[in-house]
Amino acid sequence: MREVIAINRKYVSIVLAALFGFPLYLSIFFDNRLGFSDFSDSSYLIFHTILEFSAIFIAISIALQGWLFFKGPSSARIFIFSSAFLAVGIFDFIHILSFMDITGHQVEFPIVSSWFWLSARLTETVLFVVLVSKMDKQPNTPDFRQILITLTILFTAGVSIILFTLSPILPPLSQNRELTSWSYWFISIITLIHIAIFIQAIFRTKRGLHQDTEYIAPASMFLIFSTLTSLSQFFITDWSNFVSNIFKVVGYIYLFRLVFIRYGERPFQELEEMSATYKRLLNSVVEGIYGIDKEGKVTFINEPASRMLGYREDELLGRVCHPIIHHTKFDGSDYPMEECPICHAAISEEHTYAPNELFWNKRGESFPVEYFTRPIYENGQAKGTIVTFLDLTDKKKLESLEVQHQHMKHEVALAASVQQSLLTALPDFPDGVDIGYLSIPFNELNGDFYTLYPKEDEISIAIADVCGKGIPAAIQMTMMKYAMEQGNTPDHALTEINRFSNQYMDDTSFITMLAGTYHIGTRLFHYSSAGHEPALHYQHRERRFIELSTTGPILGIMPEMEYQTKSTLLDPGDFIILYTDGMIERKENLDDSNKIIKESFLKLDISKSAQEITQELFDLINERQPFPIQDDQTLILLKAENREISI
């Protein structure tokens, strides 16, 4: 998008140049004497001289920019163009001096003056060709600048000597203000070259190949107008000559702007961007970094260092930092600068490492650090030291926490043992029902919960997945087990658990749960869901699955939520399958549905006991999963046996 905007801006500059240039160019055809009476008119001579000296000043300024600001790395073509433009300015200067006599009223063009004007235009054209060339490589010669300046001076002096020496025999370029054939052909060649340069600039602008075309194309257009103004009429008038000079000055302004951007604005912009990049890099690291000179004064400091020390950058720059941040030892005694390894390293140019020292922040608080020092070299000489340091406060806290962690691991192991006993301590089930169950924790403590509690002629069944594992989940499981053993209906049990979880558990903790009650005599399964995976009712006779779920929200989010209970009738040989999301979900899965459970179940021999079927189904599901297990897995199967329904 930026490139498109840049290209459009270049086209705008060309269009604006054309809108200015064409009307001015056409004016020479309407009135050959527009604005002035003749060449000897005093007002014409004043304006003509101003324009000529303006062009000369700009040409010499272009050259001075090349001489003064050229530094490698830079492309050869832009330096050749700018530096050699001195010749153009000198030739035009000699042209204007030889154009007028002492009184300033000479009407006829002296021959040598015309030839200096032509030399300036030819040199200008050759330099334009260099400007649009592909010489973008850096000059390899170390003395390239001096050589080019010398060659420019020699070329300018040589051409001047030749023209003055041969002036008696040089053919005139105009006679009685009319162009000779020599002038016509020279100006035609110059115009054609500029037209070719302009077309090439437009082509490169269209393709975005040249970053200077925003100035080259308008400059070339104005110089085309300048030479065309001389070529359009064989008879030279004061107005056409005046307009030609206007075009030349405007074209030179574009070239000056180009060289100024190349040697002035763009390097500073690149330097600012580079400085900003280095600053971002320094600020992106974790370590605090600052530099000091040989006197111990801070020369730079990055944001992490300022943040750790509590000082703004301007509060430390230029100040001796040892008395501010490194003044006291661990035992409370003073730390003289003479004993400080950092201050000593700035003078001795040594690399030092201190694994455990104190720095002091702006609030007067100390914090442990480790630091490294390295010398800063400039032109082979040490100018100071870079200090890189790390705040060890967190590291020391971690060391302390590691000791606590070891104690915690022991307590977690005990909690896991209690939790496992809680989950596996299940009573015997009455006749008429066969239940299989399996729960495998991913980590030491299980985040899944299940309970099977028989009471008279029914069995309470619940399965849950607690968000957040570990000891809090184990506590919640105890609460859920207690609620399910009170004999409440599934929806009432979920309501009680939701109220307790919202009141006593962390805001980030929630539970998905499916609670059910199976009446052995009626083979009715009543169930209520709180955002849990749907249970599956496998109908043996039809060999089909029915998903069992209600619309209740997950537990622990809001204190007062309503849940509903639904029922389904099981025929002998039917199954109820309950599971947690660890059985069907993997992070890499594209499909987290229960399809794999259904397909795996249909491959099993369901004449076996529920526990055998549970184990085989668990193994088959995990064999078919292409990705590793990443969560707790719990599976419960309730098999309805052939028993007469109670009336």
Side-chain angles (χ1 to χ4, degrees):
M1 186 64 182
R2 287 183 178 178
E3 294 178 358
V4 173
I5 294 173
I7 291 175
N8 289 337
R9 189 180 65 181
K10 293 171 185 176
Y11 278 127
V12 168
S13 65
I14 296 171
V15 172
L16 292 177
L19 292 175
F20 170 76
F22 272 114
L24 188 60
Y25 170 69
L26 293 175
S27 70
I28 67 174
F29 296 101
F30 295 103
D31 189 351
N32 293 338
R33 307 179 62 80
L34 182 64
F36 304 109
S37 57
D38 55 40
F39 288 110
S40 62
D41 189 287
S42 60
S43 60
Y44 167 79
L45 290 174
I46 291 172
F47 286 113
H48 175 77
T49 304
I50 291 174
L51 288 174
E52 285 284 6
F53 276 104
S54 297
I56 292 167
F57 175 77
I58 296 172
I60 294 176
S61 299
I62 291 172
L64 289 176
Q65 284 191 98
W67 288 5
L68 296 176
F69 300 116
F70 173 81
K71 291 183 180 180
S74 182
S75 63
R77 64 176 180 82
I78 193 72
F79 181 55
I80 293 172
F81 169 80
S82 58
S83 297
F85 222 77
L86 175 69
V88 178
I90 292 177
F91 291 154
D92 275 334
F93 182 69
I94 298 174
H95 158 69
I96 192 64
L97 289 182
S98 59
F99 175 72
M100 296 180 294
D101 62 6
I102 295 176
T103 62
H105 293 282
Q106 184 163 330
V107 176
E108 298 296 332
F109 289 108
I111 293 176
V112 69
S113 176
S114 301
W115 277 95
F116 271 106
W117 177 88
L118 182 61
S119 299
R121 304 290 76 75
L122 289 172
T123 305
E124 165 194 299
T125 304
V126 172
L127 292 178
F128 244 96
V129 174
V130 173
L131 181 62
V132 297
S133 68
K134 296 182 179 180
M135 294 190 301
D136 286 326
K137 293 184 178 180
Q138 302 173 17
N140 296 324
T141 307
D143 299 327
F144 181 76
R145 175 178 172 176
Q146 288 73 17
I147 292 173
L148 185 56
I149 293 173
T150 303
L151 290 176
T152 300
I153 295 173
L154 290 176
F155 169 74
T156 307
V159 171
S160 301
I161 292 171
I162 291 172
L163 291 180
F164 278 118
T165 303
L166 299 180
S167 60
I169 61 173
L170 288 174
L173 297 179
S174 65
Q175 292 180 344
N176 298 323
R177 302 184 187 176
E178 292 185 4
L179 296 177
T180 64
S181 58
W182 283 81
S183 296
Y184 181 81
W185 287 109
F186 275 127
I187 294 174
S188 297
I189 292 171
I190 291 171
T191 303
L192 290 173
I193 293 174
H194 274 293
I195 290 174
I197 292 170
F198 177 76
I199 293 173
Q200 184 187 31
I202 294 294
F203 173 75
R204 290 190 172 189
T205 300
K206 183 177 181 181
R207 298 185 59 187
L209 296 176
H210 210 296
Q211 57 183 343
D212 301 327
T213 51
E214 181 181 357
Y215 304 99
I216 293 175
S220 179
M221 178 185 293
F222 281 115
L223 293 178
I224 290 172
F225 282 136
S226 180
T227 52
L228 280 176
T229 303
S230 302
L231 189 64
S232 298
Q233 302 186 49
F234 289 98
F235 186 77
I236 304 174
T237 67
D238 53 4
W239 181 249
S240 63
N241 198 41
F242 183 75
V243 170
S244 177
N245 284 325
I246 292 177
F247 284 134
K248 182 173 66 174
V249 169
V250 177
Y252 283 9
I253 290 174
Y254 272 97
L255 296 176
F256 176 84
R257 180 61 177 159
L258 167 64
V259 177
F260 177 77
I261 287 176
R262 270 305 196 105
Y263 290 116
E265 289 184 357
R266 192 172 296 167
F268 282 108
Q269 289 175 353
E270 293 174 353
L271 185 62
E272 288 179 357
E273 290 174 1
M274 188 180 301
S275 176
T277 300
Y278 288 150
K279 192 169 185 177
R280 284 195 298 270
L281 289 174
L282 279 175
N283 293 336
S284 65
V285 298
V286 177
E287 298 87 350
I289 302 174
Y290 68 91
I292 59 173
D293 58 19
K294 291 191 173 183
E295 296 178 356
K297 295 179 180 179
V298 177
T299 55
F300 70 88
I301 184 168
N302 70 346
E303 286 184 4
S306 297
R307 187 167 56 252
M308 284 185 271
L309 296 171
Y311 290 93
R312 298 191 312 270
E313 182 180 1
D314 61 292
E315 291 179 308
L316 292 176
L317 288 179
R319 298 180 62 185
V320 178
C321 65
H322 178 83
I324 302 173
I325 66 171
H326 199 204
H327 48 74
T328 306
K329 298 179 181 180
F330 273 105
D331 59 6
S333 60
D334 292 338
Y335 205 149
M337 286 186 63
E338 296 78 15
E339 300 179 11
C340 176
I342 297 175
C343 299
H344 180 69
I347 301 173
S348 66
E349 304 178 19
E350 295 178 350
H351 295 252
T352 60
Y353 168 64
N356 191 22
E357 288 214 19
L358 283 183
F359 276 3
W360 297 78
N361 61 29
K362 188 176 182 178
R363 297 185 300 273
E365 301 168 347
S366 64
F367 58 96
V369 298
E370 64 174 359
Y371 65 77
F372 305 81
T373 67
R374 294 177 180 83
I376 303 174
Y377 291 98
E378 184 178 331
N379 298 324
Q381 295 184 348
K383 296 295 183 180
T385 299
I386 292 179
V387 182
T388 304
F389 68 91
L390 277 172
D391 184 350
L392 299 180
T393 302
D394 291 339
K395 182 180 178 181
K396 291 186 176 296
K397 287 181 179 178
L398 287 174
E399 291 175 353
S400 175
L401 288 174
E402 180 61 26
V403 177
Q404 299 178 29
H405 175 66
Q406 295 301 324
H407 294 293
M408 182 65 71
K409 283 182 66 176
H410 176 68
E411 294 178 6
V412 168
L414 292 176
S417 176
V418 172
Q419 184 190 60
Q420 186 65 20
S421 300
L422 186 68
L423 292 174
T424 56
L426 299 176
D428 295 331
F429 302 111
D431 295 337
V433 66
D434 188 8
I435 296 180
Y437 51 89
L438 188 64
S439 185
I440 306 297
F442 180 66
N443 291 316
E444 199 166 357
L445 285 171
N446 200 338
D448 287 353
F449 162 78
Y450 69 93
T451 184
L452 304 168
Y453 183 72
K455 187 177 181 181
E456 297 179 355
D457 196 37
E458 65 180 25
I459 297 175
S460 295
I461 303 174
I463 189 169
D465 189 352
V466 181
C467 176
K469 315 301 182 185
I471 294 177
I475 296 172
Q476 288 171 315
M477 290 177 190
T478 305
M479 173 268 299
M480 287 186 286
K481 186 175 180 64
Y482 173 79
M484 290 303 301
E485 292 179 359
Q486 301 309 303
N488 296 321
T489 59
D491 58 314
H492 187 259
L494 293 181
T495 301
E496 292 299 318
I497 296 171
N498 175 66
R499 188 179 296 111
F500 179 89
S501 299
N502 180 265
Q503 183 175 358
Y504 295 105
M505 295 303 172
D506 187 82
D507 291 340
T508 60
S509 178
F510 60 87
I511 304 167
T512 68
M513 186 172 181
L514 193 148
T517 302
Y518 179 64
H519 292 269
I520 302 173
T522 62
R523 293 200 299 273
L524 278 174
F525 180 66
H526 306 286
Y527 59 92
S528 183
S529 177
H532 196 75
E533 305 293 337
L536 295 176
H537 176 191
Y538 175 68
Q539 295 178 327
H540 175 58
R541 294 178 182 176
E542 290 81 5
R543 288 180 58 84
R544 67 174 182 177
F545 292 91
I546 299 176
E547 294 190 355
L548 308 179
S549 182
T550 60
T551 58
I554 58 179
L555 305 173
I557 302 300
M558 299 291 290
E560 299 297 333
M561 301 300 296
E562 293 184 0
Y563 298 89
Q564 60 178 322
T565 295
K566 293 183 179 180
S567 302
T568 185
L569 178 64
L570 277 66
D571 291 329
D574 285 1
F575 285 83
I576 296 294
I577 304 173
L578 298 92
Y579 54 93
T580 57
D581 57 4
M583 296 300 305
I584 58 173
E585 293 180 0
R586 301 289 191 273
K587 288 183 179 179
E588 299 84 352
N589 271 355
L590 298 178
D591 181 13
D592 290 335
S593 69
N594 53 25
K595 179 181 177 182
I596 191 170
I597 295 180
K598 297 175 182 177
E599 293 175 350
S600 300
F601 185 83
L602 292 175
K603 295 181 179 181
L604 301 177
D605 179 5
I606 61 174
S607 64
K608 297 181 179 180
S609 68
Q611 188 62 45
E612 291 176 314
I613 298 173
T614 302
Q615 183 65 59
E616 292 178 3
L617 179 60
F618 181 88
D619 295 339
L620 187 57
I621 290 172
N622 284 305
E623 287 175 7
R624 297 186 61 190
Q625 284 281 12
F627 305 109
I629 298 170
Q630 296 168 316
D631 198 359
D632 306 314
Q633 293 183 298
T634 300
L635 185 64
I636 300 174
L637 265 70
L638 183 150
K639 182 179 181 182
E641 294 187 335
N642 191 5
R643 178 175 173 179
E644 293 298 327
I645 297 179
S646 302
I647 303 298

